Amino acid sequence: MLNPEPKNANLAGTIVVLIDESRAMASPIAGGTRSKAEGVATAVNSMLNQLAAVPIVRVALVAYGATGTEGPQSRWAGPLEGRSLVASDELPAAPVTVEDRIRRIPGPGGMGVAREETIRFPIWYVPQRSSGGTLEEAMAFSQRILVDEGNDSSGKPPLVLHLFADLPAASMWKAEIVSNPLGAALACHLHLGTNDRIPATLYPSSSQHLATEDVAGLFETSSPLPDALADALRSANVPVSPGARGMVYQAAMGDLIRFLLLAKAYAASGPEAFPAAEPSTPPQNGTTPPPAPEPGPPVASPAAISPSAKRLGLVFLVDRSLPDCSTDVWSRRQTQVNEMIGQVSRRAGGDVDVGLIVYDGSAVEMGFHGPVKGQPVVADTALADGALRVDQVTEKVSNGIGGLIEVTRQRPVFLECEPGPPVTNLGPVLDALAQWIAQFRQEHEQDGGLPLVMHVTGADFPPEEIAAAASRLTDLGDLLVYHAVVPNTAQRTVAYPATPEQIPDPQIALFWQMTSLLAGAEQIGEKRRTVTPQARGFVVGARFDLLPDSIQAILEKEAGNAL
């Protein structure tokens, strides 16, 4: 691993980019249009291009995990082939190739359709299938690079940016992480998600609410972020709490791009910004999620119906009860409800009636507020004018070449209220639901309207109440029941499962039992391979993003039957 002396001895640090090249990187990247491998390549090459404009750092590209038998490898190629550490000021003169890429540029104020322009895009990192070895071997390989090449005289610990698709088991992590004579490296890990309906875990400051022991293991081996790096993320509108660690789980494309901003911030910061880092410790027993509650009485399965209708009665049943009135959990539930109602509003097919029932342990409220207040049933074509307000939200999305652009979107708000006390009796909730369904059926007695209940809940009720609710739902006749569980405590993310095996919490599994098959699952599965014909309309800790597709499938089936 011989390295020529850098052109400038006044180096600002050393960065190791550790890249998973296993088969798992061939799956789609959340929030992008290509594979994880292609998304990482674009983002890493964009990062390398940016490093040419900041103080000089040494950079290593290390790949591991592919089907090759040669073990972890340095990924420099072309003029830099055979090198282990490369000074960033050498990069502009030594790309493997330069491609024409399309860059998207937003309209004025982020509104309107983005225009496109062709730019020259230098390439240094190209994914391959010749690297092999485990993550542990790759970290040892990186350590040898750092030790063999010696100190960079910057006075800063090296920065390790690890990008990967498969989550390592908690037992893999050791007390020692990649280090050199400067002390422990700053280890930052980013796990790539596949679907952006699963929210990313961004830079947590505690392992208390992480979903699994393996995610907790990732947290424990991730370094605390120095203020200079945390401030760079905050400047990119990433919420970073004090004590946050350099860890992202279930990252989308935009999260990956922002994560790699750490390299530029590291290069631009002086040694005083990086106090000596302590080696991370493996997870302790206290980080293991608490055992799930014992299951309650059995719950009846949904009626086997063939869903089709000329008109659909969609009622949003919203649980705002929380044991500790956590505004964060309630905000996620409320956001999901507003997003789904907004999707129905934009569809506006004139064939869906919409209702809203919001409940907690002290009250059950039926109907919308604002311009349509007092109307228990609102036509989908009237929803747009029935919003409480319309917020303009600025979001950062990929520009196609490893950067971010700002776009402004309009988000209507239909539900806005505070959380309430826990529910101990679901009877009043089911009474209100039965009343709404009866009114809808009475109004559409001639065309046989089909009710669809979209229940957004924390699923935190006494098991006997869940069983009683299931029985009441069965008594209501033919209807579809979907569940979006936004739990009060961390749970494994599940989306549209065909069996309950993926649901570790037996109480939440009771809700799966009374969830209907996802209407249109067979057609949806042709585009989304993870959705099987036996998938149910059920998610835990994820966005329920298939409601518009399912509605369309129900109504299109009825239209086909009429021909």
Side-chain angles (χ1 to χ4, degrees):
M1 300 182 193
L2 294 179
N3 231 40
E5 287 296 316
K7 298 176 183 178
N8 189 327
N10 187 25
L11 292 168
T14 300
I15 299 173
V16 177
V17 185
L18 190 58
I19 305 173
D20 175 10
E21 289 187 344
S22 68
R23 290 180 178 176
M25 295 291 282
S27 59
I29 186 170
T33 58
R34 299 183 178 182
S35 69
K36 294 175 182 177
E38 292 172 307
V40 164
T42 294
V44 167
N45 283 310
S46 177
M47 177 202 74
L48 294 173
N49 194 29
Q50 294 173 29
L51 286 179
V54 295
I56 302 169
V57 291
R58 298 186 303 179
V59 184
L61 297 179
V62 176
Y64 73 97
T67 55
T69 59
E70 301 181 28
Q73 295 180 4
S74 176
R75 252 312 157 248
W76 295 115
L80 301 175
E81 186 172 359
R83 302 278 295 277
S84 53
L85 285 169
V86 172
S88 57
D89 63 341
E90 297 180 70
L91 294 175
V96 176
T97 186
V98 179
E99 297 180 354
D100 286 337
R101 293 280 184 99
I102 301 297
R103 176 173 65 181
R104 293 192 296 274
I105 301 174
M111 303 292 287
V113 179
R115 63 182 178 89
E116 297 180 345
E117 69 175 14
T118 301
I119 67 166
R120 301 290 283 167
F121 189 73
I123 304 292
W124 293 274
Y125 168 65
V126 180
Q128 299 181 32
R129 301 291 298 168
S130 59
S131 65
T134 65
L135 171 58
E136 190 171 4
E137 292 170 334
M139 297 180 87
F141 180 88
S142 302
Q143 185 178 22
R144 288 196 300 273
I145 289 177
L146 294 172
V147 172
D148 291 350
E149 301 297 342
N151 294 352
D152 60 22
S153 73
S154 68
K156 291 156 51 172
L159 174 66
V160 179
L161 301 174
H162 177 209
L163 314 174
F164 63 100
D166 278 340
L167 183 65
S171 59
M172 177 266 154
W173 300 112
K174 310 295 182 183
E176 301 82 13
I177 59 174
V178 181
S179 62
N180 74 352
L182 291 175
L186 288 170
C188 298
H189 302 279
L190 180 133
H191 167 264
L192 295 155
T194 299
N195 293 304
D196 58 5
R197 67 177 183 273
I198 301 176
T201 299
L202 302 171
Y203 311 101
S205 56
S206 168
S207 62
Q208 182 177 0
H209 297 297
L210 299 181
T212 68
E213 185 177 356
D214 293 342
V215 182
L218 186 67
F219 171 86
E220 297 294 348
T221 197
S222 301
S223 299
L225 287 174
D227 290 343
L229 303 191
D231 289 344
L233 292 170
R234 294 186 186 107
S235 296
N237 297 321
V238 179
V240 180
S241 302
R245 298 209 180 188
M247 177 201 127
V248 179
Y249 175 63
Q250 293 286 1
M253 187 66 194
D255 301 319
L256 167 63
I257 293 169
R258 285 181 280 264
F259 178 82
L260 292 178
L261 293 175
L262 296 175
K264 188 175 180 180
Y266 168 86
S269 302
E272 67 282 353
F274 300 91
E278 295 295 330
S280 298
T281 56
Q284 304 299 313
N285 292 335
T287 62
T288 303
E294 292 296 318
V299 178
S301 297
I305 64 172
S306 178
S308 66
K310 293 180 182 178
R311 193 163 192 89
L312 197 65
L314 172 61
V315 55
F316 288 90
L317 187 62
V318 184
D319 168 18
R320 67 178 181 188
S321 68
L322 290 165
D324 57 1
C325 292
S326 168
T327 55
D328 180 57
V329 174
W330 170 237
S331 176
R332 293 200 300 272
R333 284 188 211 164
Q334 196 165 233
T335 296
Q336 182 149 188
V337 173
N338 281 316
E339 182 178 272
M340 287 190 287
I341 298 177
Q343 290 171 339
V344 177
S345 173
R346 288 190 295 275
R347 180 185 173 276
D351 44 16
V352 180
D353 287 341
V354 184
L356 177 66
I357 301 174
V358 183
Y359 68 92
D360 58 32
S362 63
V364 179
E365 298 179 5
M366 183 183 296
F368 292 87
H369 289 271
V372 290
K373 184 176 182 179
Q375 301 179 35
V377 179
V378 178
D380 58 355
T381 51
L383 280 174
D385 295 329
L388 295 172
R389 66 175 188 276
V390 178
D391 292 340
Q392 287 198 348
V393 180
T394 300
E395 297 178 345
K396 289 189 176 184
V397 299
S398 172
N399 67 353
I401 59 165
L404 294 169
I405 58 174
E406 288 190 349
V407 296
T408 302
R409 308 187 193 278
Q410 292 189 336
R411 289 187 179 173
V413 175
F414 301 90
L415 173 64
E416 189 172 55
C417 57
E418 296 299 319
V423 173
T424 57
N425 179 10
L426 285 169
V429 180
L430 273 296
D431 290 341
L433 179 62
Q435 178 185 340
W436 191 93
I437 291 175
Q439 179 173 340
F440 168 76
R441 283 177 170 154
Q442 182 178 5
E443 292 179 0
H444 298 284
E445 185 175 0
Q446 301 301 317
D447 53 20
L450 176 69
L452 167 57
V453 181
M454 183 70 249
H455 189 197
V456 181
T457 178
D460 192 8
F461 310 116
E464 61 275 11
E465 286 297 313
I466 301 174
S471 178
R472 287 286 303 274
L473 288 173
T474 302
D475 294 341
L476 291 176
D478 284 353
L479 77 163
L480 295 176
V481 180
Y482 294 164
H483 286 96
V485 180
V486 184
N488 302 327
T489 58
Q491 299 283 345
R492 177 180 177 182
T493 299
V494 180
Y496 313 108
T499 66
E501 280 73 20
Q502 303 175 42
I503 308 168
D505 188 325
Q507 179 155 322
I508 292 180
L510 295 178
F511 281 85
W512 178 89
Q513 291 182 38
M514 59 174 172
T515 300
S516 303
L517 295 173
L518 180 68
E522 190 168 351
Q523 302 97 302
I524 294 168
E526 294 175 359
K527 297 180 180 179
R528 185 179 292 182
R529 288 177 290 178
T530 56
V531 176
T532 69
Q534 296 303 310
R536 296 202 184 189
F538 181 91
V539 301
V540 180
R543 291 172 54 235
F544 198 111
D545 62 338
L546 294 182
L547 182 61
D549 303 79
S550 191
I551 290 173
Q552 194 65 26
I554 295 169
L555 296 167
E556 285 180 355
K557 182 176 181 180
E558 174 61 29
N561 292 340
L563 295 178

